mmCIF file of all heavy atoms in Angstrom:
data_model
loop_
_atom_site.group_PDB
_atom_site.id
_atom_site.type_symbol
_atom_site.label_atom_id
_atom_site.label_comp_id
_atom_site.label_asym_id
_atom_site.label_seq_id
_atom_site.Cartn_x
_atom_site.Cartn_y
_atom_site.Cartn_z
ATOM 1 N N VAL L 178 131.897 153.406 -195.218
ATOM 2 C CA VAL L 178 131.146 153.500 -193.983
ATOM 3 C C VAL L 178 129.692 153.096 -194.198
ATOM 4 O O VAL L 178 129.101 152.359 -193.438
ATOM 5 C CB VAL L 178 131.214 154.941 -193.374
ATOM 6 C CG1 VAL L 178 130.253 155.078 -192.195
ATOM 7 C CG2 VAL L 178 132.650 155.241 -192.970
ATOM 8 N N ARG L 179 129.096 153.622 -195.278
ATOM 9 C CA ARG L 179 127.710 153.279 -195.576
ATOM 10 C C ARG L 179 127.547 151.770 -195.749
ATOM 11 O O ARG L 179 126.598 151.174 -195.263
ATOM 12 C CB ARG L 179 127.219 153.997 -196.820
ATOM 13 C CG ARG L 179 127.132 155.523 -196.691
ATOM 14 C CD ARG L 179 126.645 156.155 -197.971
ATOM 15 N NE ARG L 179 125.267 155.683 -198.284
ATOM 16 C CZ ARG L 179 124.694 155.791 -199.475
ATOM 17 N NH1 ARG L 179 125.364 156.305 -200.478
ATOM 18 N NH2 ARG L 179 123.470 155.411 -199.638
ATOM 19 N N ARG L 180 128.480 151.185 -196.468
ATOM 20 C CA ARG L 180 128.405 149.741 -196.734
ATOM 21 C C ARG L 180 128.565 148.953 -195.441
ATOM 22 O O ARG L 180 127.877 147.968 -195.164
ATOM 23 C CB ARG L 180 129.477 149.330 -197.730
ATOM 24 C CG ARG L 180 129.327 147.886 -198.224
ATOM 25 C CD ARG L 180 130.335 147.582 -199.321
ATOM 26 N NE ARG L 180 130.081 148.382 -200.532
ATOM 27 C CZ ARG L 180 130.821 149.396 -200.965
ATOM 28 N NH1 ARG L 180 131.890 149.779 -200.230
ATOM 29 N NH2 ARG L 180 130.554 150.056 -202.034
ATOM 30 N N ALA L 181 129.501 149.403 -194.557
ATOM 31 C CA ALA L 181 129.721 148.709 -193.292
ATOM 32 C C ALA L 181 128.520 148.862 -192.378
ATOM 33 O O ALA L 181 128.141 147.900 -191.680
ATOM 34 C CB ALA L 181 130.976 149.280 -192.644
ATOM 35 N N LEU L 182 127.880 150.014 -192.345
ATOM 36 C CA LEU L 182 126.702 150.203 -191.509
ATOM 37 C C LEU L 182 125.543 149.352 -191.958
ATOM 38 O O LEU L 182 124.812 148.777 -191.184
ATOM 39 C CB LEU L 182 126.309 151.688 -191.438
ATOM 40 C CG LEU L 182 127.258 152.641 -190.718
ATOM 41 C CD1 LEU L 182 126.802 154.090 -190.895
ATOM 42 C CD2 LEU L 182 127.360 152.254 -189.236
ATOM 43 N N GLY L 183 125.323 149.334 -193.301
ATOM 44 C CA GLY L 183 124.251 148.544 -193.855
ATOM 45 C C GLY L 183 122.869 148.945 -193.496
ATOM 46 O O GLY L 183 121.911 148.140 -193.615
ATOM 47 N N VAL L 184 122.652 150.152 -193.026
ATOM 48 C CA VAL L 184 121.335 150.632 -192.681
ATOM 49 C C VAL L 184 121.079 151.989 -193.377
ATOM 50 O O VAL L 184 122.020 152.645 -193.883
ATOM 51 C CB VAL L 184 121.174 150.834 -191.155
ATOM 52 C CG1 VAL L 184 121.346 149.506 -190.450
ATOM 53 C CG2 VAL L 184 122.199 151.860 -190.618
ATOM 54 N N ARG L 185 119.843 152.396 -193.385
ATOM 55 C CA ARG L 185 119.469 153.674 -193.985
ATOM 56 C C ARG L 185 120.120 154.843 -193.221
ATOM 57 O O ARG L 185 120.111 154.893 -192.022
ATOM 58 C CB ARG L 185 117.945 153.805 -193.917
ATOM 59 C CG ARG L 185 117.368 154.900 -194.789
ATOM 60 C CD ARG L 185 117.420 156.290 -194.156
ATOM 61 N NE ARG L 185 116.665 156.439 -192.951
ATOM 62 C CZ ARG L 185 116.860 157.400 -192.063
ATOM 63 N NH1 ARG L 185 117.833 158.291 -192.249
ATOM 64 N NH2 ARG L 185 116.127 157.435 -190.987
ATOM 65 N N THR L 186 120.767 155.722 -193.963
ATOM 66 C CA THR L 186 121.336 156.945 -193.373
ATOM 67 C C THR L 186 120.844 158.136 -194.180
ATOM 68 O O THR L 186 120.134 157.994 -195.180
ATOM 69 C CB THR L 186 122.887 156.941 -193.362
ATOM 70 O OG1 THR L 186 123.341 157.047 -194.721
ATOM 71 C CG2 THR L 186 123.408 155.652 -192.721
ATOM 72 N N LEU L 187 121.258 159.334 -193.771
ATOM 73 C CA LEU L 187 120.850 160.512 -194.530
ATOM 74 C C LEU L 187 121.276 160.453 -195.982
ATOM 75 O O LEU L 187 120.640 161.017 -196.840
ATOM 76 C CB LEU L 187 121.421 161.764 -193.844
ATOM 77 C CG LEU L 187 120.926 163.134 -194.412
ATOM 78 C CD1 LEU L 187 119.416 163.297 -194.196
ATOM 79 C CD2 LEU L 187 121.709 164.292 -193.776
ATOM 80 N N PHE L 188 122.354 159.725 -196.250
ATOM 81 C CA PHE L 188 122.830 159.623 -197.644
ATOM 82 C C PHE L 188 121.801 158.990 -198.538
ATOM 83 O O PHE L 188 121.758 159.255 -199.736
ATOM 84 C CB PHE L 188 124.138 158.843 -197.679
ATOM 85 C CG PHE L 188 125.353 159.674 -197.409
ATOM 86 C CD1 PHE L 188 126.086 159.516 -196.245
ATOM 87 C CD2 PHE L 188 125.777 160.681 -198.309
ATOM 88 C CE1 PHE L 188 127.196 160.309 -195.976
ATOM 89 C CE2 PHE L 188 126.905 161.426 -198.077
ATOM 90 C CZ PHE L 188 127.593 161.278 -196.885
ATOM 91 N N ASN L 189 120.965 158.084 -198.000
ATOM 92 C CA ASN L 189 119.894 157.487 -198.810
ATOM 93 C C ASN L 189 118.956 158.581 -199.327
ATOM 94 O O ASN L 189 118.492 158.503 -200.490
ATOM 95 C CB ASN L 189 119.128 156.451 -198.038
ATOM 96 C CG ASN L 189 119.881 155.175 -197.775
ATOM 97 O OD1 ASN L 189 120.603 155.042 -196.784
ATOM 98 N ND2 ASN L 189 119.757 154.211 -198.694
ATOM 99 N N PHE L 190 118.603 159.522 -198.501
ATOM 100 C CA PHE L 190 117.706 160.586 -198.913
ATOM 101 C C PHE L 190 118.416 161.570 -199.850
ATOM 102 O O PHE L 190 117.780 162.161 -200.742
ATOM 103 C CB PHE L 190 117.169 161.357 -197.662
ATOM 104 C CG PHE L 190 116.308 160.499 -196.782
ATOM 105 C CD1 PHE L 190 116.619 160.360 -195.445
ATOM 106 C CD2 PHE L 190 115.214 159.810 -197.276
ATOM 107 C CE1 PHE L 190 115.814 159.580 -194.617
ATOM 108 C CE2 PHE L 190 114.426 159.041 -196.461
ATOM 109 C CZ PHE L 190 114.718 158.904 -195.130
ATOM 110 N N VAL L 191 119.709 161.731 -199.687
ATOM 111 C CA VAL L 191 120.470 162.621 -200.530
ATOM 112 C C VAL L 191 120.540 162.119 -201.994
ATOM 113 O O VAL L 191 120.380 162.915 -202.948
ATOM 114 C CB VAL L 191 121.904 162.810 -199.991
ATOM 115 C CG1 VAL L 191 122.790 163.502 -201.031
ATOM 116 C CG2 VAL L 191 121.911 163.617 -198.681
ATOM 117 N N GLY L 192 120.696 160.810 -202.162
ATOM 118 C CA GLY L 192 120.925 160.246 -203.500
ATOM 119 C C GLY L 192 119.986 160.742 -204.567
ATOM 120 O O GLY L 192 120.421 161.226 -205.630
ATOM 121 N N PRO L 193 118.644 160.635 -204.372
ATOM 122 C CA PRO L 193 117.739 161.063 -205.423
ATOM 123 C C PRO L 193 117.721 162.578 -205.661
ATOM 124 O O PRO L 193 117.133 163.058 -206.628
ATOM 125 C CB PRO L 193 116.351 160.607 -204.883
ATOM 126 C CG PRO L 193 116.644 159.574 -203.904
ATOM 127 C CD PRO L 193 117.955 159.960 -203.258
ATOM 128 N N LEU L 194 118.367 163.340 -204.772
ATOM 129 C CA LEU L 194 118.282 164.798 -204.862
ATOM 130 C C LEU L 194 119.551 165.390 -205.517
ATOM 131 O O LEU L 194 119.618 166.641 -205.654
ATOM 132 C CB LEU L 194 118.156 165.397 -203.450
ATOM 133 C CG LEU L 194 116.980 164.846 -202.631
ATOM 134 C CD1 LEU L 194 116.937 165.485 -201.261
ATOM 135 C CD2 LEU L 194 115.641 165.092 -203.338
ATOM 136 N N VAL L 195 120.453 164.567 -205.986
ATOM 137 C CA VAL L 195 121.716 165.073 -206.583
ATOM 138 C C VAL L 195 121.895 164.469 -207.960
ATOM 139 O O VAL L 195 122.980 164.056 -208.310
ATOM 140 C CB VAL L 195 122.937 164.768 -205.634
ATOM 141 C CG1 VAL L 195 122.850 165.595 -204.390
ATOM 142 C CG2 VAL L 195 123.045 163.275 -205.294
ATOM 143 N N ASN L 196 120.831 164.449 -208.759
ATOM 144 C CA ASN L 196 120.908 163.917 -210.102
ATOM 145 C C ASN L 196 121.873 164.744 -210.946
ATOM 146 O O ASN L 196 121.720 165.990 -211.046
ATOM 147 C CB ASN L 196 119.512 163.971 -210.725
ATOM 148 C CG ASN L 196 119.469 163.321 -212.094
ATOM 149 O OD1 ASN L 196 119.970 163.891 -213.062
ATOM 150 N ND2 ASN L 196 118.869 162.146 -212.191
ATOM 151 N N PRO L 197 122.843 164.115 -211.605
ATOM 152 C CA PRO L 197 123.860 164.860 -212.355
ATOM 153 C C PRO L 197 123.312 165.588 -213.564
ATOM 154 O O PRO L 197 124.002 166.471 -214.096
ATOM 155 C CB PRO L 197 124.845 163.760 -212.771
ATOM 156 C CG PRO L 197 124.664 162.675 -211.787
ATOM 157 C CD PRO L 197 123.198 162.677 -211.478
ATOM 158 N N ALA L 198 122.088 165.249 -214.026
ATOM 159 C CA ALA L 198 121.493 165.989 -215.152
ATOM 160 C C ALA L 198 120.665 167.124 -214.655
ATOM 161 O O ALA L 198 120.078 167.838 -215.472
ATOM 162 C CB ALA L 198 120.628 165.010 -215.980
ATOM 163 N N ARG L 199 120.607 167.318 -213.357
ATOM 164 C CA ARG L 199 119.840 168.421 -212.738
ATOM 165 C C ARG L 199 118.409 168.438 -213.278
ATOM 166 O O ARG L 199 117.859 169.458 -213.651
ATOM 167 C CB ARG L 199 120.496 169.762 -212.967
ATOM 168 C CG ARG L 199 121.919 169.885 -212.392
ATOM 169 C CD ARG L 199 122.454 171.284 -212.504
ATOM 170 N NE ARG L 199 123.862 171.351 -212.143
ATOM 171 C CZ ARG L 199 124.279 171.529 -210.871
ATOM 172 N NH1 ARG L 199 123.407 171.616 -209.881
ATOM 173 N NH2 ARG L 199 125.593 171.608 -210.611
ATOM 174 N N VAL L 200 117.799 167.230 -213.383
ATOM 175 C CA VAL L 200 116.413 167.139 -213.861
ATOM 176 C C VAL L 200 115.496 167.953 -212.975
ATOM 177 O O VAL L 200 115.713 168.120 -211.780
ATOM 178 C CB VAL L 200 115.968 165.665 -213.933
ATOM 179 C CG1 VAL L 200 116.780 164.876 -214.884
ATOM 180 C CG2 VAL L 200 116.020 165.032 -212.550
ATOM 181 N N THR L 201 114.427 168.444 -213.576
ATOM 182 C CA THR L 201 113.402 169.186 -212.819
ATOM 183 C C THR L 201 112.111 168.422 -212.712
ATOM 184 O O THR L 201 111.140 168.952 -212.202
ATOM 185 C CB THR L 201 113.130 170.558 -213.508
ATOM 186 O OG1 THR L 201 112.656 170.359 -214.810
ATOM 187 C CG2 THR L 201 114.375 171.411 -213.525
ATOM 188 N N ARG L 202 112.134 167.172 -213.179
ATOM 189 C CA ARG L 202 110.974 166.276 -213.047
ATOM 190 C C ARG L 202 111.473 164.938 -212.443
ATOM 191 O O ARG L 202 112.401 164.340 -212.960
ATOM 192 C CB ARG L 202 110.327 165.989 -214.396
ATOM 193 C CG ARG L 202 109.682 167.234 -215.028
ATOM 194 C CD ARG L 202 109.175 166.935 -216.432
ATOM 195 N NE ARG L 202 108.574 168.096 -217.064
ATOM 196 C CZ ARG L 202 107.294 168.444 -216.997
ATOM 197 N NH1 ARG L 202 106.420 167.658 -216.365
ATOM 198 N NH2 ARG L 202 106.854 169.516 -217.577
ATOM 199 N N GLN L 203 110.826 164.534 -211.357
ATOM 200 C CA GLN L 203 111.266 163.297 -210.692
ATOM 201 C C GLN L 203 110.082 162.561 -210.062
ATOM 202 O O GLN L 203 109.227 163.172 -209.440
ATOM 203 C CB GLN L 203 112.283 163.606 -209.605
ATOM 204 C CG GLN L 203 113.655 164.006 -210.110
ATOM 205 C CD GLN L 203 114.683 164.168 -209.023
ATOM 206 O OE1 GLN L 203 115.119 165.266 -208.703
ATOM 207 N NE2 GLN L 203 115.079 163.047 -208.418
ATOM 208 N N LEU L 204 110.110 161.203 -210.213
ATOM 209 C CA LEU L 204 109.318 160.316 -209.384
ATOM 210 C C LEU L 204 110.283 159.716 -208.386
ATOM 211 O O LEU L 204 111.190 158.966 -208.756
ATOM 212 C CB LEU L 204 108.666 159.250 -210.244
ATOM 213 C CG LEU L 204 107.836 158.210 -209.440
ATOM 214 C CD1 LEU L 204 106.602 158.847 -208.849
ATOM 215 C CD2 LEU L 204 107.477 157.019 -210.337
ATOM 216 N N VAL L 205 110.124 160.088 -207.119
ATOM 217 C CA VAL L 205 111.100 159.738 -206.088
ATOM 218 C C VAL L 205 110.423 158.803 -205.076
ATOM 219 O O VAL L 205 109.442 159.187 -204.430
ATOM 220 C CB VAL L 205 111.596 160.990 -205.344
ATOM 221 C CG1 VAL L 205 112.632 160.572 -204.303
ATOM 222 C CG2 VAL L 205 112.186 161.963 -206.298
ATOM 223 N N GLY L 206 110.939 157.595 -204.961
ATOM 224 C CA GLY L 206 110.473 156.667 -203.924
ATOM 225 C C GLY L 206 111.190 156.972 -202.622
ATOM 226 O O GLY L 206 112.402 157.152 -202.601
ATOM 227 N N VAL L 207 110.439 157.037 -201.503
ATOM 228 C CA VAL L 207 110.993 157.380 -200.209
ATOM 229 C C VAL L 207 110.667 156.288 -199.228
ATOM 230 O O VAL L 207 109.546 155.765 -199.178
ATOM 231 C CB VAL L 207 110.375 158.737 -199.742
ATOM 232 C CG1 VAL L 207 111.020 159.191 -198.414
ATOM 233 C CG2 VAL L 207 110.598 159.817 -200.781
ATOM 234 N N SER L 208 111.641 155.933 -198.391
ATOM 235 C CA SER L 208 111.494 154.786 -197.523
ATOM 236 C C SER L 208 110.776 155.055 -196.244
ATOM 237 O O SER L 208 110.558 154.140 -195.427
ATOM 238 C CB SER L 208 112.897 154.206 -197.187
ATOM 239 O OG SER L 208 113.671 155.186 -196.526
ATOM 240 N N ASP L 209 110.360 156.278 -195.995
ATOM 241 C CA ASP L 209 109.624 156.664 -194.779
ATOM 242 C C ASP L 209 108.693 157.799 -195.135
ATOM 243 O O ASP L 209 109.158 158.867 -195.597
ATOM 244 C CB ASP L 209 110.603 157.064 -193.680
ATOM 245 C CG ASP L 209 109.941 157.227 -192.352
ATOM 246 O OD1 ASP L 209 108.746 157.632 -192.314
ATOM 247 O OD2 ASP L 209 110.604 157.045 -191.317
ATOM 248 N N ALA L 210 107.383 157.618 -194.944
ATOM 249 C CA ALA L 210 106.419 158.659 -195.327
ATOM 250 C C ALA L 210 106.670 159.996 -194.618
ATOM 251 O O ALA L 210 106.279 161.056 -195.124
ATOM 252 C CB ALA L 210 105.011 158.146 -195.078
ATOM 253 N N GLU L 211 107.286 159.954 -193.462
ATOM 254 C CA GLU L 211 107.558 161.184 -192.731
ATOM 255 C C GLU L 211 108.408 162.141 -193.555
ATOM 256 O O GLU L 211 108.401 163.345 -193.350
ATOM 257 C CB GLU L 211 108.209 160.844 -191.383
ATOM 258 C CG GLU L 211 108.534 162.038 -190.513
ATOM 259 C CD GLU L 211 109.198 161.651 -189.231
ATOM 260 O OE1 GLU L 211 109.170 160.452 -188.843
ATOM 261 O OE2 GLU L 211 109.783 162.551 -188.551
ATOM 262 N N TRP L 212 109.235 161.577 -194.456
ATOM 263 C CA TRP L 212 110.178 162.355 -195.207
ATOM 264 C C TRP L 212 109.639 162.866 -196.554
ATOM 265 O O TRP L 212 110.355 163.565 -197.276
ATOM 266 C CB TRP L 212 111.437 161.543 -195.471
ATOM 267 C CG TRP L 212 112.388 161.644 -194.296
ATOM 268 C CD1 TRP L 212 112.433 160.842 -193.209
ATOM 269 C CD2 TRP L 212 113.393 162.649 -194.077
ATOM 270 N NE1 TRP L 212 113.379 161.278 -192.332
ATOM 271 C CE2 TRP L 212 114.007 162.392 -192.842
ATOM 272 C CE3 TRP L 212 113.822 163.739 -194.833
ATOM 273 C CZ2 TRP L 212 115.037 163.143 -192.333
ATOM 274 C CZ3 TRP L 212 114.853 164.552 -194.332
ATOM 275 C CH2 TRP L 212 115.437 164.216 -193.085
ATOM 276 N N LEU L 213 108.415 162.561 -196.888
ATOM 277 C CA LEU L 213 107.871 162.996 -198.151
ATOM 278 C C LEU L 213 107.877 164.493 -198.319
ATOM 279 O O LEU L 213 108.380 165.024 -199.336
ATOM 280 C CB LEU L 213 106.437 162.432 -198.364
ATOM 281 C CG LEU L 213 106.331 160.924 -198.536
ATOM 282 C CD1 LEU L 213 104.860 160.516 -198.535
ATOM 283 C CD2 LEU L 213 107.022 160.480 -199.843
ATOM 284 N N PRO L 214 107.338 165.276 -197.370
ATOM 285 C CA PRO L 214 107.389 166.739 -197.533
ATOM 286 C C PRO L 214 108.811 167.295 -197.654
ATOM 287 O O PRO L 214 109.024 168.211 -198.446
ATOM 288 C CB PRO L 214 106.670 167.247 -196.273
ATOM 289 C CG PRO L 214 105.831 166.114 -195.804
ATOM 290 C CD PRO L 214 106.627 164.895 -196.127
ATOM 291 N N ALA L 215 109.725 166.750 -196.852
ATOM 292 C CA ALA L 215 111.111 167.313 -196.890
ATOM 293 C C ALA L 215 111.746 167.083 -198.247
ATOM 294 O O ALA L 215 112.456 167.963 -198.761
ATOM 295 C CB ALA L 215 111.923 166.670 -195.799
ATOM 296 N N MET L 216 111.521 165.932 -198.833
ATOM 297 C CA MET L 216 112.125 165.626 -200.155
ATOM 298 C C MET L 216 111.621 166.604 -201.169
ATOM 299 O O MET L 216 112.392 167.128 -202.012
ATOM 300 C CB MET L 216 111.814 164.209 -200.550
ATOM 301 C CG MET L 216 112.387 163.125 -199.641
ATOM 302 S SD MET L 216 114.166 162.992 -199.728
ATOM 303 C CE MET L 216 114.351 162.059 -201.268
ATOM 304 N N VAL L 217 110.320 166.895 -201.174
ATOM 305 C CA VAL L 217 109.747 167.794 -202.128
ATOM 306 C C VAL L 217 110.176 169.242 -201.849
ATOM 307 O O VAL L 217 110.464 170.013 -202.735
ATOM 308 C CB VAL L 217 108.200 167.701 -202.162
ATOM 309 C CG1 VAL L 217 107.609 168.706 -203.131
ATOM 310 C CG2 VAL L 217 107.788 166.256 -202.588
#
Side-chain angles (χ1 to χ4, degrees):
V178 171
R179 293 182 63 196
R180 190 175 295 107
L182 291 174
V184 297
R185 194 279 297 161
T186 69
L187 187 64
F188 277 110
N189 287 90
F190 295 125
V191 168
L194 306 179
V195 292
N196 184 288
R199 300 186 187 274
V200 295
T201 60
R202 295 175 180 268
Q203 287 187 250
L204 177 68
V205 182
V207 183
S208 61
D209 188 331
E211 181 181 345
W212 276 90
L213 292 173
M216 297 291 282
V217 178

